[in-house]
Amino acid sequence: MIGITPVELFDNEKKQPSLFSPGHYIKFFPIDRMEFVSIKKFVAEDKFTVTSYDKELGE
């Protein structure tokens, strides 16, 4: 699986539809199928939190 994530990055039905805002620093990393399925389950149960950080220009 290339180029997919178990976390929905955009949902037009939410108050804030995009998971990230301009200026957020995002790092994707590879996971195997088992971890993908596990994260997808936690997301569905609203038990998964995505952490993001603002990154200043020049850092």
Side-chain angles (χ1 to χ4, degrees):
M1 296 187 281
I2 299 173
I4 63 171
T5 175
V7 179
E8 192 168 345
L9 302 180
F10 186 84
D11 182 353
N12 199 34
E13 299 297 318
K14 291 185 178 178
K15 183 177 177 183
Q16 184 176 342
S18 182
L19 185 59
F20 304 107
S21 300
H24 280 155
Y25 179 73
I26 304 167
K27 183 176 182 179
F28 294 96
F29 54 92
I31 59 174
D32 62 25
R33 179 180 281 280
M34 204 159 106
E35 189 172 3
F36 182 94
V37 171
S38 175
I39 292 170
K40 190 89 169 159
K41 180 182 174 197
F42 283 123
V43 168
E45 294 171 353
D46 202 24
K47 296 179 180 178
F48 188 82
T49 304
V50 174
T51 303
S52 67
Y53 304 92
D54 290 335
K55 183 173 181 173
E56 298 288 329
L57 291 178
E59 283 187 18

